[in-house]
Amino acid sequence: MSTPLVQFSGITKSYFGVEVLKNISFTLPAGSMTGLVGENGAGKSTLMNILGGNVAVDSGSILLNGKTFVPSTPQESAEHGIAFIHQELNLFPNLTIAENLFLTRFPRATGSPFIDRQTIHRRTSELLAEIGLDVSPQRLVETLSAGERQLVEIAKALSMDARLIIFDEPTTSLSIRETDRLFALISRLRERKLTMIYISHALTDVLRLCDRIVVLRDGEIAGSGRADEFTTERLVTLMVGRTMNQLFPTRSGKPTNQTLLEVSGLTQPDVLRNISFTLKRGEVLGLSGLMGAGRTELARILFGLDPCASGTVALEGKSLNRLSPRQLIQRGFAFLTENRRSEGLCMDASVADNLALTTLTEHGRTTVRWLSNESGRKAMQRIRGVVRLDPKASDNQAVRTLSGGNQQKVVLGKWLLIRPRVFILDEPTRGIDVGAKYEIYRLIYELADQGAGIFVISSEMEELMGLCDRILVMKAGELVDELPREEFDRERILRGALGGTVFQERSS
Amino acid sequence: MKRLTKPLLQFAPLLLFIGVLLFFGCQSPRFLEVRNLINIIVQASSTGIVAIGMTFVLLTAGVDLSVGAIMFVAAAVAGKLAVSGRSMFLILPVMVSVGLCVGAFNAFFITRLRVVAFIVTLATLFIGRGLGLRITETRAMNLPDSFLMIGSFRWLSVPLPAWILAGLLLIAHLILTRTPFGRQIFAVGADAEMARKAGVRTKTILAGVYLVSGVCAAIAAMVSLGQLGAVSPKFGEQKEFAAIAAAVLGGTSLFGGRGNVFPGTLLGALLIQSIENGLVVMNANPYIYPMATSAVIFTAVVMESLRNRVRRSSAAVL
C-alpha cells in the first residue's frame, strides 16, 4: 500500500486544563474520503484547526505524505495543499469570482502593471466548468447564492492544487438542489483521486459519501472503520455512549406549577418557526440542539435584542412584545450570553465596574442620581460572596486577568444583582473547569429555588441532563421534542436534534 | 420598493448632481454656461485630487485626516524655497516628497505600531499645521508669478488644474480596477483579517494607500498654490472634510471595500463645488455657504448608512 496522505499520531490538546483531544491517531489514505462525526464539542473542530494551522498541538505529530507537518499559520497549511470549505465562506463579496481565485497571484502581461484579465477570466471559466457552475467569471461574489459561493470555494481549492479538501458542515445552508449539485461534484472529485474529509451531522450523507468514518467522542476516537460497517443507529450510539461522570449539586427545591413565562408562536422568517413553550416558576428548562438550530437566536429574541415577525411572549400574563432589553431588565430578565469576552464583559474594566453595570441607577442618591459608592460597594461585596468569586481577585483588577471561571462568575454576579426572575443562560459553562462549573450549577439551583425561571442553552448534553427539570429540543428553528426529567434519553435528544437526517432518508 | 431603492441609491450621486445643476440653472442662466461649468471643474480640482487619495484610504476602511495639513506643509515649504529664489523644477519634487514623508509617517504608526488611523492622522494634522505655521512664521507668503502659471495655463482652452485632475483620475481609476495592488485594496477593505489569511500583504497595502493619499495632497497643494498665488495660515484647512464628503457622496463606503474614483469621487467633488459656485452665481448670503456645504455632507452620510442598510437586508435574503 502507498503511504497515506495524512497520518495523525497521538494528537493531544487541552484548553484551560481540559483535554479536548486525547491521543488521537488515524490515517487518511491518499484518494480516500473520510467522514468525521461526533457531538458538538467532541473535538472535531479542534482537530481540523490543528491541521489548518490555527491551533498548535500539545503533543503528537502529523505526517503529510510521510513527512512531519507542523503548520503554524493557515497560509502554511494552504501552501501544503490543504483546503477548507467552511460554513462561513472565505470569499470577498465585493470582488469578482476571478479576482477571488487569483487575489494573491494575479498574472500580468510582461512589462505591464495591469492584471492580465483575459488570462484570469479564461482560467476561471475553465475551473468553473470543471465544478459545473455556469456563471461569468466577472460576476461579483455577493450576487451568488450560498451554494454557488461554496462551489466557487471549491474552484479556489482546485486552482491552488489542493491535495486535501476538508468539508466542514457544507450542506447546512444549502437547498436540496444545491446539496445534490455539491454531492455530484464531490463524486467527480473522488474520481480524480482527491483526498477529502467530510464533517457533518447529516449522518446519512456521511454514510453515502464516505469510504471511511471516524467517530469522535469527548476527544477520543469512539470508533472508526470502513463506511459500510456503520449504520446511522450505530453512529449515534458511538457518538453518545458514555457514562455520566459530571458532578451536579443536589437539587433541594422543585419546579412549581405557576407559569412564569409563556411563549407562543414565535416566528421569524429563516430563523424561528412557531416556537411555543412555557417556563414555570422555579424551573430549570434546558434547550438542546445543534449549532445553527436557532437556540441563540431564540434567546436573543426573548431578550429583545433581535426582531421577531410574529408570536407573543408574556410574563405572568402581561405581554412583553416589542420591549427593549432595557425594559426587559427592569422586569427582571437577565441574559448570560454565549460569548462572555465580547458580549458579557468589558474586559478591560475592573471587576467592580463590571458588577455594577446592571444596577448603576439603583445606587443613585438624590434626584440627580449621583452615584453613591457606599451602597454600591455593599451590594458588590455581598454578591462576591454569593458567587464565591476568588477572594484574591481585587475589585479594581481588570476582568481580562481573571480565569474563565471567575470571569463567568462576574457575569453571573452582575445579573444576580438585579434579582432576575427570568434568567437566560447561553452556554454558561463553556471553557470553564469542572470546579467552577459546579459552582455555577449551584447558583442556578439557588436562583430557581427562590422562584426564578431558568432557561439554559447548552451544547453539552450531560450538562442539560444533569441540570434541568425539562429539556426542549430544537432543530432548524423549530421545537421538535420536549422531555420531562423522567424521560431524559440521550439518544432521543440527539435523534430529535439531528432530525430528518438520521431516520428519514433525503429524497434523492 | 426595495427594487427601486437600490438603484436609486446607487445612482444617487449622479441624480443629486443633475438635480443641483437644474436647480441652479433655473435660478440663473449664467450657471449653466460652458465657461461657468469649466470654472466649476477648475475650482473643484484641488478638492477632487485630495479626494482621490482619500478614496484609496477609505477603501481600506481607514481615514486620513492629515491631508489638509500635508497641503499646508507642502505649500509652506514651497513658499519658503520660492522666496529664496529656487526654481519650480526643484520645488515641485520637494512638495511631492513632503507628501510622501507625511504619508510614510502615518503608514508607520498605522501598520507597525497598529495605532488607529483616525488617531494617527489626527495627530499628524496638528503636527503638520504647527509645522506649517512655524515655517511660514504665521505670515501669508506671496509666490512668484511662475506658480500662477499652474493655475492659468490653458491647453485646448481648458486650464491646467482640470487636466491634472483628469490625469490623476485616469491613473487612480486604472490602479484601482486593473492592478493587483488596487484589487487587494478592495480585499483588505472588505475584511483585513480574511485578506491576511488569504496571503495578501495587508501592511504593504495599508502603507501604500497612505502614501498615495500624501502624494495626492501634495499635488493638490500645487494646484491650489497655482490658483491662489499665496500661502496663508488657513491654506488647506478643513480640506480633509471636503475630501471625505466628496468620496462618500460619490459612493465610497466609510466601512471599506466599496467605492470608486471614477465616476464616484469626481461626481462628489463636482457636486460640492457646484453648490458653492451656484450660491455665488445666485448672489446668496455668504453665511449660507457653510450651512449648504454641511447639509451636503450630512446628505452624504445619510446616503451611506442607507446604502449599508439596503446591502445588509439584501445579503440576509441570501
Side-chain angles (χ1 to χ4, degrees), chain A residues 195-237:
Chain A
T195 313
M196 289 177 277
I197 294 179
Y198 190 88
I199 300 172
S200 179
H201 284 298
L203 301 178
T204 42
D205 295 346
V206 175
L207 284 167
R208 191 173 117 198
L209 292 168
C210 303
D211 4 72
R212 298 163 37 77
I213 293 178
V214 174
V215 185
L216 286 182
R217 183 214 308 148
D218 279 348
E220 292 175 288
I221 293 184
S224 68
R226 285 159 37 124
D228 50 21
E229 296 167 9
F230 292 93
T231 59
T232 44
E233 287 77 9
R234 178 147 178 249
L235 285 177
V236 171
T237 313

Side-chain angles (χ1 to χ4, degrees), chain A residues 94 99 103 115 117 149, chain B residues 178 183-184 257-258 318:
Chain A
N94 57 343
E99 285 167 349
L103 185 63
I115 296 166
R117 287 194 184 184
R149 290 184 200 195
Chain B
R178 301 288 174 99
R183 301 319 292 165
Q184 288 177 351
R258 287 165 204 281
L318 288 175

Side-chain angles (χ1 to χ4, degrees), chain A residues 100-225:
Chain A
N100 264 290
L101 261 46
F102 291 93
L103 185 63
T104 51
R105 51 208 164 104
F106 281 117
R108 283 185 284 200
T110 38
S112 154
F114 299 122
I115 296 166
D116 184 352
R117 287 194 184 184
Q118 269 186 334
T119 305
I120 65 168
H121 290 157
R122 196 193 66 239
R123 285 184 41 202
T124 306
S125 293
E126 289 165 9
L127 284 161
L128 291 178
E130 217 172 306
I131 57 161
L133 184 60
D134 184 26
V135 299
S136 158
Q138 300 181 58
R139 273 277 288 275
L140 285 176
V141 165
E142 64 192 349
T143 66
L144 300 175
S145 73
E148 288 169 329
R149 290 184 200 195
Q150 198 158 48
L151 293 178
V152 171
E153 282 268 10
I154 299 173
K156 191 169 149 197
L158 293 179
S159 77
M160 308 235 231
D161 293 318
R163 290 184 288 174
L164 173 64
I165 301 184
I166 297 155
F167 293 92
D168 191 356
E169 291 288 355
T171 56
T172 38
S173 56
L174 301 191
S175 67
I176 298 207
R177 218 168 45 97
E178 287 175 326
T179 305
D180 287 340
R181 181 154 68 163
L182 175 70
F183 289 172
L185 173 60
I186 288 178
S187 318
R188 265 180 287 146
L189 295 178
R190 285 190 60 180
E191 284 160 23
R192 290 178 40 175
K193 295 289 170 212
L194 260 157
T195 313
M196 289 177 277
I197 294 179
Y198 190 88
I199 300 172
S200 179
H201 284 298
L203 301 178
T204 42
D205 295 346
V206 175
L207 284 167
R208 191 173 117 198
L209 292 168
C210 303
D211 4 72
R212 298 163 37 77
I213 293 178
V214 174
V215 185
L216 286 182
R217 183 214 308 148
D218 279 348
E220 292 175 288
I221 293 184
S224 68

Side-chain angles (χ1 to χ4, degrees), chain A residues 403-415:
Chain A
S403 73
N406 277 309
Q407 287 179 357
Q408 197 71 313
K409 286 179 185 171
V410 173
V411 186
L412 275 168
K414 170 179 92 173
W415 287 119

